[in-house]
Amino acid sequence: MKERVKNLIKINYQQVLFVFLAFLAMVLVSYFYVSNIVSKQMLEIGEETMNTMQESVAGSLTGSELVFSNVIQNVETMLIGNKSNEAILEYLRTTNTYFSKKRSAMSDFLKIYAYIRGEFLDGSGWVPPAEYSPPSRPWHIGAVKSGDKMFLSDPYVDAETGGMCITFSQQVFDSKGKPLGIVALDIKLDRVTDYISGQKIANDGYGVLLDDKMCFATHPYNNMIGQKMKEAGEGYSELAQILFHQKFISAVRFTDTDGTDSIAFFRTIFNGWNIGIVIPYSSYYAQVRDMGIVLGILGFILMVTLAYILVSIRAEKIRSDEESKSKSTFLAGMSHEIRTPMNAVIGMTEIARNTNDPAKIQYCLSKISNAANHLLGVINDVLDMSKIEAGKLELSETDFVFTDMLEQVKAVVDVRIDEKHQKFIIDLDPEIPKSLVSDRQRLAQVITNLIGNANKFTPEGGTIKLTVRKESESGGKCRLRVEVSDNGIGISKEQQARLFHSFVQADGSISRKYGGTGLGLTISKQIINLMDGKIWIESELNKGSTFIFTILAGIGKAEESVRSERKTAGGESYDGIFNGKRILMAEDVDINREILTALLSDTGIKIDCAENGKEAVRLFSESPDAYDMILMDVQMPEMDGYEATRAIRLLAKASDKTKIIERAKTIPIIAMTANVFKEDIDKCLAAGMNDHLAKPIEMGVVVEKIKRYCGNKR
């Protein structure tokens, strides 16, 4: 045994050493691999920034060029038409006024002017000084040299403003091709240079602008303005050679004039100018450096953690070989099954059939009722699936006894738990209020789903525990903590990460979500979020799971008032309470008419039936004072409930074909339909109905509606 332990310890040391070496290699490989990715990413960011600059600057100049081309064409047309200089000046003034109000985001339009037939015509209204000589200006000289081509000047000092500008200029000719003068358009250079100077990558660096002679037009250091790039010193001469041959530079490392190790990007734009960004090398690769530090720290932590785990597992292996074998057997023997609330209905129905004991039959009917009510809620959830996925689910809060809700849940899950001979424990905090205000059905749905999960993944004879605690209470509300724990197969960390997105069983072989609804944990999470809570899991593979959630619920009425309501819905006698009352029921389905008639048979109320909305309108119009209330189905042939209701209400208004029926205005009309969503209820009320009664019909609810709108017996 001692020799075996020594061998295991030796193996431990070897494994720990291997782990350290493996992680060291992993960190180094990861660093070089990821640094390459980050470097490519930074290159893409730089390229994208340069492309944006290039498009912005070129787009601004191109837009000005298009404006100027249009002006040239119009001036030449006027010259061919023998228009006077006064007419041309008026056109230039109008055009100048219009375009000066529509400045681009990159550059400011300055002015349009011309030198025609020896006369200077300024569209901005500027009157040059006596010594001003247009033929000696850069725009005039360049246009003459360019012949009939458009000329774009280098940056120069504007005679009017004293600021830097660039100018588009071009000669204009008469119909015989004789040059009659030159038209020019000035653009301020300040906005272009300010934009370029402010460009950065990784929140650092500066932008530069080179003219077509590769002289600096803008640079953070004023002494660089006007210098040629190749004569700027340090690494700029090398950049100049690259840019001259390639017309672009991407992430080239060089030494800036101040000795800073830097990275440069440059692009040549359409007019032969160049734009660029210079960024310190340390800033450009800061992410790579930071990533290396993080990888080193993370690698060290992982090395220590994994070494500890290996040592712990090896030590545990000495004591738990047999336990590991039993766990394997446990996993191999796990069975899968799906149970729904219908199990409770079928099981209790079978028990009731095989007994003559009235008390037992009543007990079974109670369980069937609870399970059926829960199943109805599940069906509603399935029908509401699109709203739940869209995040539009709304809670329906009621005042209910918390323990009654748990009894409903227990009735649903008991059959499944009994079939696997599992032990189900409920542990309730005595401080929990007797009555809560929340969405009873949604809360029951979540708890049932979690218990169903535990039942499914817990072996026969296992234990499932439901624990409810009150965490806090204030302002008429309390926060509850609900835990459903089991000693089943557990859930791995990988599966936990996906649980609340799409439920995945531990064995990976069951695709349908548990509970027969298809909603699973994804919908449970959304419901809990609506209840101002959160849901999570604590689990260890092969050792069981605990699903935990919290909710914020209101504190409801006293226990006595809630029980009184329950008594009314349960077994109170209704004999003769509606003697003398008469209602009209519009319902096209025979079985529905039969059910309601049977339910109300002991109340003494009289019921006239109409098989569609059209017949209901006729019966009411023939005897409007005979009815105390109308129960109106919504979906019927010939005329649906909405149309029938509107038709009845219209009987209270004057018409050429019908007499006024005052009763049509006040007769209570109650929708009786399986359409139970909020928009369905709103639609009923909008059609003129007074209230809504949901199918399947509950006796207590029907009686309450009749009492509310008709009163008790006369």
Side-chain angles (χ1 to χ4, degrees):
M1 181 65 182
K2 290 183 179 181
E3 188 64 28
R4 181 169 176 263
V5 171
K6 289 181 180 179
N7 290 334
L8 288 173
I9 293 175
K10 182 178 179 181
I11 294 174
N12 277 340
Y13 286 135
Q14 293 174 346
Q15 287 184 337
V16 170
L17 179 60
F18 174 77
V19 167
F20 273 96
L21 294 175
F23 268 94
L24 179 60
M26 182 193 72
V27 169
L28 293 175
V29 172
S30 299
Y31 174 76
F32 288 113
Y33 177 74
V34 179
S35 64
N36 185 49
I37 295 176
V38 174
S39 297
K40 289 182 179 179
Q41 182 182 17
M42 291 302 300
L43 179 61
E44 291 176 359
I45 293 173
E47 296 286 355
E48 183 178 350
T49 303
M50 292 304 303
N51 290 338
T52 302
M53 283 180 61
Q54 186 176 14
E55 291 174 2
S56 298
V57 176
S60 175
L61 296 178
T62 301
S64 300
E65 182 181 5
L66 291 174
V67 170
F68 184 63
S69 296
N70 186 59
V71 171
I72 290 294
Q73 292 177 6
N74 290 335
V75 171
E76 283 196 333
T77 299
M78 296 177 73
L79 289 172
I80 293 173
N82 294 319
K83 297 292 184 179
S84 65
N85 278 14
E86 287 77 8
I88 295 174
L89 177 59
E90 182 60 29
Y91 166 73
L92 294 178
R93 286 174 178 171
T94 302
T95 304
N96 196 91
T97 301
Y98 175 79
F99 283 108
S100 63
K101 296 179 180 179
K102 296 181 175 294
R103 298 174 178 176
S104 71
M106 275 297 303
S107 64
D108 279 350
F109 173 87
L110 189 58
K111 63 179 178 179
I112 300 175
Y113 54 93
Y115 187 66
I116 305 294
R117 303 186 186 106
E119 183 180 359
F120 183 73
L121 310 174
D122 194 295
S124 68
W126 177 63
V127 178
E131 66 273 13
Y132 182 78
S133 174
S136 65
R137 301 299 294 171
W139 55 269
H140 191 287
I141 297 171
V144 171
K145 289 182 179 180
S146 299
D148 60 350
K149 304 297 183 181
M150 187 181 297
F151 170 72
L152 176 61
S153 72
D154 294 334
Y156 68 95
V157 177
D158 180 59
E160 177 184 359
T161 65
M164 296 298 294
C165 72
I166 55 177
T167 302
F168 285 102
S169 60
Q170 185 174 332
Q171 290 192 95
V172 288
F173 304 86
D174 61 12
S175 58
K176 297 180 181 180
K178 178 182 177 181
L180 296 181
I182 293 173
V183 180
L185 180 148
D186 284 353
I187 299 174
K188 288 182 180 179
L189 196 60
D190 295 351
R191 290 279 295 276
V192 178
T193 56
D194 289 346
Y195 169 76
I196 293 174
S197 298
Q199 295 303 300
K200 298 180 179 180
I201 298 175
N203 298 320
D204 203 354
Y206 59 85
V208 296
L209 176 65
L210 302 172
D211 62 20
D212 57 349
K213 298 179 180 61
M214 296 187 69
C215 294
F216 287 103
T218 180
H219 194 282
Y221 305 128
N222 292 330
N223 63 328
M224 298 288 289
I225 306 297
Q227 284 196 49
K228 290 187 176 181
M229 187 180 189
K230 64 180 180 179
E231 298 174 358
E234 295 296 342
Y236 274 116
S237 58
E238 181 181 351
L239 291 181
Q241 292 181 4
I242 298 174
L243 190 58
F244 179 78
H245 291 95
Q246 295 184 0
K247 304 301 181 184
F248 71 91
I249 291 175
S250 294
V252 172
R253 189 173 182 178
F254 80 109
T255 303
D256 205 347
T257 54
D258 61 357
T260 303
D261 192 7
S262 303
I263 298 292
F265 289 84
F266 275 91
R267 290 289 185 279
T268 300
I269 59 177
F270 74 101
N271 62 343
W273 291 17
N274 295 276
I275 55 176
I277 296 180
V278 176
I279 175 176
Y281 182 88
S282 58
S283 298
Y284 186 77
Y285 286 105
Q287 292 187 29
V288 177
R289 182 187 65 248
D290 295 343
M291 179 203 62
I293 295 173
V294 171
L295 279 176
I297 295 173
L298 182 61
F300 178 77
I301 294 174
L302 290 175
M303 283 189 288
V304 173
T305 302
L306 185 57
Y308 173 78
I309 292 174
L310 287 174
V311 172
S312 299
I313 291 176
R314 185 64 63 179
E316 183 68 21
K317 183 174 178 61
I318 299 175
R319 300 185 298 270
S320 61
D321 283 343
E322 293 300 322
E323 183 180 348
S324 296
K325 291 179 181 179
S326 64
K327 289 178 182 177
S328 299
T329 303
F330 164 76
L331 288 174
M334 276 299 297
S335 63
H336 66 277
E337 57 184 310
I338 299 176
R339 293 289 186 263
T340 67
M342 190 57 72
N343 291 122
V345 175
I346 295 173
M348 288 299 167
T349 301
E350 190 65 26
I351 293 173
R353 284 176 177 172
N354 296 329
T355 183
N356 294 321
D357 184 356
K360 195 167 187 178
I361 292 174
Q362 188 63 34
Y363 170 80
C364 291
L365 290 175
S366 175
K367 295 292 186 181
I368 290 172
S369 177
N370 287 336
N373 285 332
H374 177 75
L375 185 58
L376 177 61
V378 169
I379 293 172
N380 287 336
D381 286 341
V382 173
L383 294 176
D384 204 23
M385 187 64 180
S386 61
K387 289 188 178 137
I388 295 174
E389 291 181 339
K392 297 181 180 179
L393 175 65
E394 295 181 358
L395 297 180
S396 178
E397 294 189 339
T398 58
D399 191 339
F400 64 94
V401 176
F402 184 63
T403 52
D404 285 355
M405 184 273 293
L406 291 184
E407 287 176 5
Q408 171 192 335
V409 171
K410 189 173 184 299
V412 173
V413 302
D414 269 350
V415 174
R416 285 177 281 171
I417 290 176
D418 291 344
E419 285 184 353
K420 296 186 73 173
H421 307 290
Q422 294 168 340
K423 185 177 181 181
F424 184 40
I425 302 172
I426 299 179
D427 181 9
L428 295 182
D429 185 349
E431 296 297 320
I432 297 174
K434 300 293 183 182
S435 176
L436 298 178
V437 177
S438 186
D439 191 322
R440 169 179 175 148
Q441 187 60 48
R442 300 297 186 189
L443 183 57
Q445 175 188 343
V446 174
I447 297 176
T448 302
N449 184 44
L450 297 183
I451 295 175
N453 263 0
N455 164 256
K456 183 173 185 61
F457 296 109
T458 300
E460 292 195 15
T463 300
I464 300 171
K465 184 176 182 180
L466 171 64
T467 304
V468 187
R469 294 284 181 264
K470 185 180 77 171
E471 287 191 336
S472 61
E473 179 179 332
S474 64
K477 293 188 176 183
C478 64
R479 184 166 294 280
L480 301 183
R481 177 187 174 101
V482 181
E483 299 182 5
V484 177
S485 58
D486 62 69
N487 57 352
I489 63 174
I491 302 173
S492 70
K493 295 297 183 182
E494 180 184 359
Q495 290 165 336
Q496 289 180 37
R498 302 195 307 268
L499 271 183
F500 296 103
H501 297 284
S502 177
F503 181 69
V504 180
Q505 284 78 3
D507 61 10
S509 63
I510 302 176
S511 60
R512 186 160 64 92
K513 293 183 178 78
Y514 189 80
T517 66
L519 303 181
L521 294 176
T522 304
I523 304 307
S524 295
K525 181 179 181 180
Q526 295 186 32
I527 292 173
I528 295 304
N529 288 341
L530 289 175
M531 293 181 176
D532 196 19
K534 60 181 181 178
I535 184 170
W536 69 96
I537 180 176
E538 296 176 358
S539 179
E540 187 175 349
L541 199 59
N542 303 328
K543 291 189 177 181
S545 304
T546 299
F547 282 88
I548 307 167
F549 69 84
T550 62
I551 63 166
L552 186 64
I555 299 175
K557 302 175 184 178
E559 182 179 0
E560 289 73 20
S561 66
V562 177
R563 287 180 176 173
S564 175
E565 292 173 8
R566 192 166 64 251
K567 179 181 177 182
T568 300
E572 182 181 354
S573 174
Y574 300 123
D575 290 345
I577 65 171
F578 297 134
N579 283 337
K581 300 292 182 181
R582 190 185 194 95
I583 63 174
L584 174 61
M585 176 173 56
E587 170 62 66
D588 62 312
V589 180
D590 292 342
I591 188 64
N592 289 339
R593 297 197 298 269
E594 181 180 347
I595 289 173
L596 187 63
T597 302
L599 287 175
L600 297 177
S601 60
D602 294 336
T603 66
I605 199 168
K606 294 182 179 179
I607 303 176
D608 290 347
C609 296
E611 296 185 3
N612 55 65
K614 186 175 182 180
E615 185 178 355
V617 175
R618 180 183 62 79
L619 291 175
F620 173 78
S621 61
E622 291 175 354
S623 304
D625 296 322
Y627 299 109
D628 297 283
M629 187 173 72
I630 299 175
L631 293 177
M632 184 74 71
D633 187 21
V634 171
Q635 296 182 352
M636 294 183 292
E638 293 195 49
M639 181 184 288
D640 63 29
Y642 304 119
E643 187 177 353
T645 299
R646 286 190 286 267
I648 291 173
R649 296 304 187 199
L650 286 174
L651 294 175
K653 298 181 180 180
S655 173
D656 295 337
K657 298 181 180 180
T658 60
K659 64 179 181 179
I660 296 177
I661 301 176
E662 293 293 338
R663 179 60 174 156
K665 185 187 302 182
T666 59
I667 180 76
I669 303 178
I670 312 300
M672 185 176 64
T673 173
N675 299 339
V676 295
F677 299 135
K678 185 178 184 299
E679 61 266 29
D680 298 320
I681 299 174
D682 292 341
K683 188 175 180 180
C684 293
L685 298 178
M689 301 184 193
N690 299 86
D691 209 334
H692 179 275
L693 189 62
K695 295 178 182 178
I697 300 299
E698 296 182 24
M699 181 62 176
V701 178
V702 175
V703 170
E704 186 274 330
K705 298 289 185 185
I706 297 176
K707 283 182 179 181
R708 181 185 303 176
Y709 292 100
C710 300
N712 288 354
K713 63 183 179 180
R714 296 169 180 168

